[in-house]
PDB file of all heavy atoms in Angstrom:
ATOM      1  N   PHE A   1       0.829  -1.197   0.000  1.00  0.00           N
ATOM      2  CA  PHE A   1       0.002   0.000   0.002  1.00  0.00           C
ATOM      3  C   PHE A   1       0.868   1.253   0.000  1.00  0.00           C
ATOM      4  O   PHE A   1       2.083   1.192   0.238  1.00  0.00           O
ATOM      5  CB  PHE A   1      -0.928  -0.001   1.222  1.00  0.00           C
ATOM      6  CG  PHE A   1      -1.955  -1.092   1.187  1.00  0.00           C
ATOM      7  CD1 PHE A   1      -1.705  -2.317   1.794  1.00  0.00           C
ATOM      8  CD2 PHE A   1      -3.164  -0.904   0.533  1.00  0.00           C
ATOM      9  CE1 PHE A   1      -2.641  -3.335   1.751  1.00  0.00           C
ATOM     10  CE2 PHE A   1      -4.116  -1.920   0.476  1.00  0.00           C
ATOM     11  CZ  PHE A   1      -3.838  -3.141   1.087  1.00  0.00           C
ATOM     12  N   ARG A   2       0.235   2.388  -0.278  1.00  0.00           N
ATOM     13  CA  ARG A   2       0.939   3.673  -0.280  1.00  0.00           C
ATOM     14  C   ARG A   2       0.397   4.549   0.842  1.00  0.00           C
ATOM     15  O   ARG A   2      -0.800   4.516   1.154  1.00  0.00           O
ATOM     16  CB  ARG A   2       0.738   4.370  -1.627  1.00  0.00           C
ATOM     17  CG  ARG A   2       1.255   3.566  -2.805  1.00  0.00           C
ATOM     18  CD  ARG A   2       0.632   3.992  -4.118  1.00  0.00           C
ATOM     19  NE  ARG A   2       1.141   5.269  -4.584  1.00  0.00           N
ATOM     20  CZ  ARG A   2       0.656   5.919  -5.641  1.00  0.00           C
ATOM     21  NH1 ARG A   2      -0.362   5.414  -6.319  1.00  0.00           N
ATOM     22  NH2 ARG A   2       1.181   7.074  -6.022  1.00  0.00           N
ATOM     23  N   ASN A   3       1.301   5.318   1.469  1.00  0.00           N
ATOM     24  CA  ASN A   3       0.919   6.238   2.525  1.00  0.00           C
ATOM     25  C   ASN A   3       0.968   7.676   1.992  1.00  0.00           C
ATOM     26  O   ASN A   3       1.896   8.035   1.270  1.00  0.00           O
ATOM     27  CB  ASN A   3       1.837   6.088   3.739  1.00  0.00           C
ATOM     28  CG  ASN A   3       1.740   4.707   4.362  1.00  0.00           C
ATOM     29  OD1 ASN A   3       0.693   4.052   4.279  1.00  0.00           O
ATOM     30  ND2 ASN A   3       2.808   4.260   4.997  1.00  0.00           N
ATOM     31  N   TRP A   4      -0.020   8.468   2.409  1.00  0.00           N
ATOM     32  CA  TRP A   4      -0.181   9.798   1.819  1.00  0.00           C
ATOM     33  C   TRP A   4      -0.269  10.903   2.875  1.00  0.00           C
ATOM     34  O   TRP A   4      -0.723  10.655   3.998  1.00  0.00           O
ATOM     35  CB  TRP A   4      -1.455   9.844   0.963  1.00  0.00           C
ATOM     36  CG  TRP A   4      -1.366   9.132  -0.343  1.00  0.00           C
ATOM     37  CD1 TRP A   4      -1.599   7.809  -0.569  1.00  0.00           C
ATOM     38  CD2 TRP A   4      -1.018   9.702  -1.614  1.00  0.00           C
ATOM     39  NE1 TRP A   4      -1.430   7.503  -1.904  1.00  0.00           N
ATOM     40  CE2 TRP A   4      -1.082   8.665  -2.563  1.00  0.00           C
ATOM     41  CE3 TRP A   4      -0.687  10.980  -2.020  1.00  0.00           C
ATOM     42  CZ2 TRP A   4      -0.807   8.856  -3.914  1.00  0.00           C
ATOM     43  CZ3 TRP A   4      -0.420  11.195  -3.381  1.00  0.00           C
ATOM     44  CH2 TRP A   4      -0.471  10.152  -4.301  1.00  0.00           C
ATOM     45  N   TYR A   5       0.148  12.075   2.471  1.00  0.00           N
ATOM     46  CA  TYR A   5      -0.116  13.312   3.196  1.00  0.00           C
ATOM     47  C   TYR A   5      -1.148  14.099   2.401  1.00  0.00           C
ATOM     48  O   TYR A   5      -1.062  14.224   1.183  1.00  0.00           O
ATOM     49  CB  TYR A   5       1.161  14.144   3.326  1.00  0.00           C
ATOM     50  CG  TYR A   5       0.918  15.626   3.553  1.00  0.00           C
ATOM     51  CD1 TYR A   5       0.637  16.123   4.814  1.00  0.00           C
ATOM     52  CD2 TYR A   5       0.964  16.522   2.478  1.00  0.00           C
ATOM     53  CE1 TYR A   5       0.398  17.481   5.010  1.00  0.00           C
ATOM     54  CE2 TYR A   5       0.730  17.877   2.665  1.00  0.00           C
ATOM     55  CZ  TYR A   5       0.442  18.345   3.925  1.00  0.00           C
ATOM     56  OH  TYR A   5       0.216  19.695   4.105  1.00  0.00           O
ATOM     57  N   TYR A   6      -2.167  14.636   3.129  1.00  0.00           N
ATOM     58  CA  TYR A   6      -3.208  15.443   2.492  1.00  0.00           C
ATOM     59  C   TYR A   6      -3.283  16.804   3.190  1.00  0.00           C
ATOM     60  O   TYR A   6      -3.301  16.867   4.415  1.00  0.00           O
ATOM     61  CB  TYR A   6      -4.558  14.721   2.589  1.00  0.00           C
ATOM     62  CG  TYR A   6      -5.657  15.404   1.806  1.00  0.00           C
ATOM     63  CD1 TYR A   6      -5.780  15.215   0.436  1.00  0.00           C
ATOM     64  CD2 TYR A   6      -6.571  16.251   2.443  1.00  0.00           C
ATOM     65  CE1 TYR A   6      -6.794  15.841  -0.282  1.00  0.00           C
ATOM     66  CE2 TYR A   6      -7.582  16.876   1.731  1.00  0.00           C
ATOM     67  CZ  TYR A   6      -7.685  16.670   0.365  1.00  0.00           C
ATOM     68  OH  TYR A   6      -8.670  17.304  -0.345  1.00  0.00           O
ATOM     69  N   PRO A   7      -3.303  17.915   2.434  1.00  0.00           N
ATOM     70  CA  PRO A   7      -3.188  19.253   3.033  1.00  0.00           C
ATOM     71  C   PRO A   7      -4.476  19.786   3.640  1.00  0.00           C
ATOM     72  O   PRO A   7      -4.944  20.875   3.300  1.00  0.00           O
ATOM     73  CB  PRO A   7      -2.732  20.111   1.842  1.00  0.00           C
ATOM     74  CG  PRO A   7      -3.342  19.452   0.653  1.00  0.00           C
ATOM     75  CD  PRO A   7      -3.301  17.976   0.946  1.00  0.00           C
ATOM     76  N   ALA A   8      -5.078  19.014   4.542  1.00  0.00           N
ATOM     77  CA  ALA A   8      -6.208  19.493   5.342  1.00  0.00           C
ATOM     78  C   ALA A   8      -5.684  19.730   6.752  1.00  0.00           C
ATOM     79  O   ALA A   8      -4.789  19.013   7.213  1.00  0.00           O
ATOM     80  CB  ALA A   8      -7.325  18.467   5.342  1.00  0.00           C
ATOM     81  N   GLU A   9      -6.236  20.699   7.457  1.00  0.00           N
ATOM     82  CA  GLU A   9      -5.624  21.159   8.707  1.00  0.00           C
ATOM     83  C   GLU A   9      -6.401  20.702   9.947  1.00  0.00           C
ATOM     84  O   GLU A   9      -7.627  20.733   9.985  1.00  0.00           O
ATOM     85  CB  GLU A   9      -5.515  22.691   8.724  1.00  0.00           C
ATOM     86  CG  GLU A   9      -4.544  23.224   7.704  1.00  0.00           C
ATOM     87  CD  GLU A   9      -4.437  24.737   7.724  1.00  0.00           C
ATOM     88  OE1 GLU A   9      -5.403  25.388   8.179  1.00  0.00           O
ATOM     89  OE2 GLU A   9      -3.414  25.267   7.274  1.00  0.00           O
ATOM     90  N   ILE A  10      -5.605  20.309  10.960  1.00  0.00           N
ATOM     91  CA  ILE A  10      -6.145  20.076  12.289  1.00  0.00           C
ATOM     92  C   ILE A  10      -5.209  20.763  13.282  1.00  0.00           C
ATOM     93  O   ILE A  10      -4.072  21.122  12.943  1.00  0.00           O
ATOM     94  CB  ILE A  10      -6.249  18.574  12.635  1.00  0.00           C
ATOM     95  CG1 ILE A  10      -4.851  17.976  12.869  1.00  0.00           C
ATOM     96  CG2 ILE A  10      -6.981  17.809  11.559  1.00  0.00           C
ATOM     97  CD1 ILE A  10      -4.876  16.602  13.513  1.00  0.00           C
ATOM     98  N   LEU A  11      -5.682  20.965  14.487  1.00  0.00           N
ATOM     99  CA  LEU A  11      -4.808  21.439  15.570  1.00  0.00           C
ATOM    100  C   LEU A  11      -4.379  20.243  16.400  1.00  0.00           C
ATOM    101  O   LEU A  11      -5.204  19.413  16.781  1.00  0.00           O
ATOM    102  CB  LEU A  11      -5.541  22.440  16.462  1.00  0.00           C
ATOM    103  CG  LEU A  11      -4.757  22.881  17.705  1.00  0.00           C
ATOM    104  CD1 LEU A  11      -3.592  23.764  17.316  1.00  0.00           C
ATOM    105  CD2 LEU A  11      -5.651  23.595  18.713  1.00  0.00           C
ATOM    106  N   HIS A  12      -3.096  20.163  16.687  1.00  0.00           N
ATOM    107  CA  HIS A  12      -2.584  19.131  17.585  1.00  0.00           C
ATOM    108  C   HIS A  12      -1.771  19.837  18.661  1.00  0.00           C
ATOM    109  O   HIS A  12      -0.728  20.411  18.383  1.00  0.00           O
ATOM    110  CB  HIS A  12      -1.703  18.127  16.832  1.00  0.00           C
ATOM    111  CG  HIS A  12      -1.197  17.017  17.707  1.00  0.00           C
ATOM    112  ND1 HIS A  12      -0.026  16.358  17.458  1.00  0.00           N
ATOM    113  CD2 HIS A  12      -1.704  16.460  18.835  1.00  0.00           C
ATOM    114  CE1 HIS A  12       0.174  15.451  18.391  1.00  0.00           C
ATOM    115  NE2 HIS A  12      -0.843  15.493  19.237  1.00  0.00           N
ATOM    116  N   TYR A  13      -2.276  19.775  19.884  1.00  0.00           N
ATOM    117  CA  TYR A  13      -1.555  20.423  20.973  1.00  0.00           C
ATOM    118  C   TYR A  13      -0.216  19.765  21.229  1.00  0.00           C
ATOM    119  O   TYR A  13       0.614  20.291  21.954  1.00  0.00           O
ATOM    120  CB  TYR A  13      -2.401  20.390  22.258  1.00  0.00           C
ATOM    121  CG  TYR A  13      -3.584  21.333  22.230  1.00  0.00           C
ATOM    122  CD1 TYR A  13      -4.880  20.828  22.123  1.00  0.00           C
ATOM    123  CD2 TYR A  13      -3.411  22.700  22.316  1.00  0.00           C
ATOM    124  CE1 TYR A  13      -5.975  21.680  22.108  1.00  0.00           C
ATOM    125  CE2 TYR A  13      -4.497  23.553  22.293  1.00  0.00           C
ATOM    126  CZ  TYR A  13      -5.772  23.043  22.196  1.00  0.00           C
ATOM    127  OH  TYR A  13      -6.847  23.887  22.169  1.00  0.00           O
ATOM    128  N   LYS A  14      -0.020  18.590  20.650  1.00  0.00           N
ATOM    129  CA  LYS A  14       1.267  17.896  20.660  1.00  0.00           C
ATOM    130  C   LYS A  14       1.743  17.564  22.061  1.00  0.00           C
ATOM    131  O   LYS A  14       2.676  18.172  22.579  1.00  0.00           O
ATOM    132  CB  LYS A  14       2.335  18.725  19.943  1.00  0.00           C
ATOM    133  CG  LYS A  14       3.599  17.936  19.598  1.00  0.00           C
ATOM    134  CD  LYS A  14       4.615  18.827  18.904  1.00  0.00           C
ATOM    135  CE  LYS A  14       5.901  18.090  18.679  1.00  0.00           C
ATOM    136  NZ  LYS A  14       6.936  18.922  18.046  1.00  0.00           N
ATOM    137  N   GLY A  15       1.074  16.599  22.648  1.00  0.00           N
ATOM    138  CA  GLY A  15       1.585  16.080  23.902  1.00  0.00           C
ATOM    139  C   GLY A  15       0.838  16.513  25.127  1.00  0.00           C
ATOM    140  O   GLY A  15       1.313  16.283  26.244  1.00  0.00           O
ATOM    141  N   GLU A  16      -0.317  17.171  24.965  1.00  0.00           N
ATOM    142  CA  GLU A  16      -1.087  17.522  26.158  1.00  0.00           C
ATOM    143  C   GLU A  16      -1.478  16.263  26.931  1.00  0.00           C
ATOM    144  O   GLU A  16      -1.626  16.300  28.142  1.00  0.00           O
ATOM    145  CB  GLU A  16      -2.352  18.302  25.773  1.00  0.00           C
ATOM    146  CG  GLU A  16      -3.137  18.809  26.965  1.00  0.00           C
ATOM    147  CD  GLU A  16      -2.308  19.665  27.902  1.00  0.00           C
ATOM    148  OE1 GLU A  16      -1.501  20.473  27.432  1.00  0.00           O
ATOM    149  OE2 GLU A  16      -2.490  19.503  29.127  1.00  0.00           O
ATOM    150  N   SER A  17      -1.600  15.133  26.233  1.00  0.00           N
ATOM    151  CA  SER A  17      -1.996  13.901  26.895  1.00  0.00           C
ATOM    152  C   SER A  17      -0.813  13.126  27.452  1.00  0.00           C
ATOM    153  O   SER A  17      -0.969  12.043  27.977  1.00  0.00           O
ATOM    154  CB  SER A  17      -2.778  13.008  25.919  1.00  0.00           C
ATOM    155  OG  SER A  17      -2.039  12.797  24.748  1.00  0.00           O
ATOM    156  N   THR A  18       0.402  13.671  27.349  1.00  0.00           N
ATOM    157  CA  THR A  18       1.572  12.990  27.900  1.00  0.00           C
ATOM    158  C   THR A  18       2.383  13.965  28.733  1.00  0.00           C
ATOM    159  O   THR A  18       2.326  15.183  28.559  1.00  0.00           O
ATOM    160  CB  THR A  18       2.473  12.436  26.787  1.00  0.00           C
ATOM    161  OG1 THR A  18       2.948  13.509  25.966  1.00  0.00           O
ATOM    162  CG2 THR A  18       1.723  11.439  25.922  1.00  0.00           C
ATOM    163  N   GLN A  19       3.186  13.415  29.641  1.00  0.00           N
ATOM    164  CA  GLN A  19       4.025  14.233  30.495  1.00  0.00           C
ATOM    165  C   GLN A  19       5.455  14.082  30.008  1.00  0.00           C
ATOM    166  O   GLN A  19       6.202  13.226  30.445  1.00  0.00           O
ATOM    167  CB  GLN A  19       3.901  13.793  31.965  1.00  0.00           C
ATOM    168  CG  GLN A  19       4.563  14.712  32.960  1.00  0.00           C
ATOM    169  CD  GLN A  19       3.919  16.078  33.011  1.00  0.00           C
ATOM    170  OE1 GLN A  19       2.717  16.198  32.870  1.00  0.00           O
ATOM    171  NE2 GLN A  19       4.711  17.112  33.204  1.00  0.00           N
ATOM    172  N   LYS A  20       5.875  14.966  29.102  1.00  0.00           N
ATOM    173  CA  LYS A  20       7.162  14.796  28.430  1.00  0.00           C
ATOM    174  C   LYS A  20       8.354  15.209  29.298  1.00  0.00           C
ATOM    175  O   LYS A  20       9.486  15.043  28.893  1.00  0.00           O
ATOM    176  CB  LYS A  20       7.168  15.564  27.122  1.00  0.00           C
ATOM    177  CG  LYS A  20       6.175  14.999  26.109  1.00  0.00           C
ATOM    178  CD  LYS A  20       6.436  15.510  24.720  1.00  0.00           C
ATOM    179  CE  LYS A  20       5.545  14.798  23.706  1.00  0.00           C
ATOM    180  NZ  LYS A  20       5.824  15.185  22.323  1.00  0.00           N
ATOM    181  N   SER A  21       8.096  15.780  30.474  1.00  0.00           N
ATOM    182  CA  SER A  21       9.183  16.164  31.360  1.00  0.00           C
ATOM    183  C   SER A  21       9.424  15.109  32.428  1.00  0.00           C
ATOM    184  O   SER A  21      10.082  15.374  33.419  1.00  0.00           O
ATOM    185  CB  SER A  21       8.870  17.514  32.023  1.00  0.00           C
ATOM    186  OG  SER A  21       7.670  17.430  32.775  1.00  0.00           O
ATOM    187  N   SER A  22       8.884  13.912  32.231  1.00  0.00           N
ATOM    188  CA  SER A  22       9.009  12.868  33.245  1.00  0.00           C
ATOM    189  C   SER A  22      10.023  11.818  32.823  1.00  0.00           C
ATOM    190  O   SER A  22      10.304  11.620  31.644  1.00  0.00           O
ATOM    191  CB  SER A  22       7.649  12.197  33.479  1.00  0.00           C
ATOM    192  OG  SER A  22       7.264  11.456  32.350  1.00  0.00           O
ATOM    193  N   PHE A  23      10.570  11.112  33.816  1.00  0.00           N
ATOM    194  CA  PHE A  23      11.504  10.032  33.528  1.00  0.00           C
ATOM    195  C   PHE A  23      10.791   8.888  32.805  1.00  0.00           C
ATOM    196  O   PHE A  23      11.380   8.204  31.993  1.00  0.00           O
ATOM    197  CB  PHE A  23      12.131   9.519  34.832  1.00  0.00           C
ATOM    198  CG  PHE A  23      13.125  10.463  35.441  1.00  0.00           C
ATOM    199  CD1 PHE A  23      12.754  11.317  36.462  1.00  0.00           C
ATOM    200  CD2 PHE A  23      14.429  10.515  34.969  1.00  0.00           C
ATOM    201  CE1 PHE A  23      13.659  12.192  37.020  1.00  0.00           C
ATOM    202  CE2 PHE A  23      15.352  11.396  35.512  1.00  0.00           C
ATOM    203  CZ  PHE A  23      14.973  12.233  36.548  1.00  0.00           C
ATOM    204  N   ARG A  24       9.498   8.700  33.121  1.00  0.00           N
ATOM    205  CA  ARG A  24       8.748   7.641  32.448  1.00  0.00           C
ATOM    206  C   ARG A  24       8.647   7.905  30.951  1.00  0.00           C
ATOM    207  O   ARG A  24       8.756   6.981  30.147  1.00  0.00           O
ATOM    208  CB  ARG A  24       7.342   7.527  33.060  1.00  0.00           C
ATOM    209  CG  ARG A  24       6.479   6.510  32.329  1.00  0.00           C
ATOM    210  CD  ARG A  24       5.236   6.161  33.115  1.00  0.00           C
ATOM    211  NE  ARG A  24       4.338   5.328  32.345  1.00  0.00           N
ATOM    212  CZ  ARG A  24       4.520   4.034  32.076  1.00  0.00           C
ATOM    213  NH1 ARG A  24       5.619   3.437  32.503  1.00  0.00           N
ATOM    214  NH2 ARG A  24       3.651   3.346  31.371  1.00  0.00           N
ATOM    215  N   TYR A  25       8.464   9.180  30.573  1.00  0.00           N
ATOM    216  CA  TYR A  25       8.389   9.516  29.147  1.00  0.00           C
ATOM    217  C   TYR A  25       9.691   9.139  28.449  1.00  0.00           C
ATOM    218  O   TYR A  25       9.681   8.528  27.374  1.00  0.00           O
ATOM    219  CB  TYR A  25       8.113  11.007  28.969  1.00  0.00           C
ATOM    220  CG  TYR A  25       8.450  11.492  27.574  1.00  0.00           C
ATOM    221  CD1 TYR A  25       7.627  11.205  26.499  1.00  0.00           C
ATOM    222  CD2 TYR A  25       9.620  12.213  27.337  1.00  0.00           C
ATOM    223  CE1 TYR A  25       7.940  11.623  25.225  1.00  0.00           C
ATOM    224  CE2 TYR A  25       9.932  12.639  26.048  1.00  0.00           C
ATOM    225  CZ  TYR A  25       9.102  12.345  25.003  1.00  0.00           C
ATOM    226  OH  TYR A  25       9.422  12.750  23.744  1.00  0.00           O
ATOM    227  N   VAL A  26      10.817   9.496  29.056  1.00  0.00           N
ATOM    228  CA  VAL A  26      12.110   9.174  28.456  1.00  0.00           C
ATOM    229  C   VAL A  26      12.245   7.663  28.281  1.00  0.00           C
ATOM    230  O   VAL A  26      12.666   7.174  27.231  1.00  0.00           O
ATOM    231  CB  VAL A  26      13.265   9.735  29.312  1.00  0.00           C
ATOM    232  CG1 VAL A  26      14.613   9.219  28.807  1.00  0.00           C
ATOM    233  CG2 VAL A  26      13.241  11.249  29.307  1.00  0.00           C
TER     234      VAL A  26
END
């Protein structure tokens, strides 16, 4: 199969659901 990018827009807060400053994240 082929994977595609399509130029429609969404907002992604990028990591609000994760704690990227934690040792567990690393």
Side-chain angles (χ1 to χ4, degrees):
F1 293 93
R2 300 159 74 187
N3 297 333
W4 286 86
Y5 157 82
Y6 187 80
E9 293 180 337
I10 72 167
L11 174 71
H12 182 208
Y13 288 109
K14 194 180 175 182
E16 185 55 40
S17 54
T18 61
Q19 190 65 36
K20 294 195 173 184
S21 59
S22 69
F23 288 98
R24 175 167 173 74
Y25 162 75
V26 172

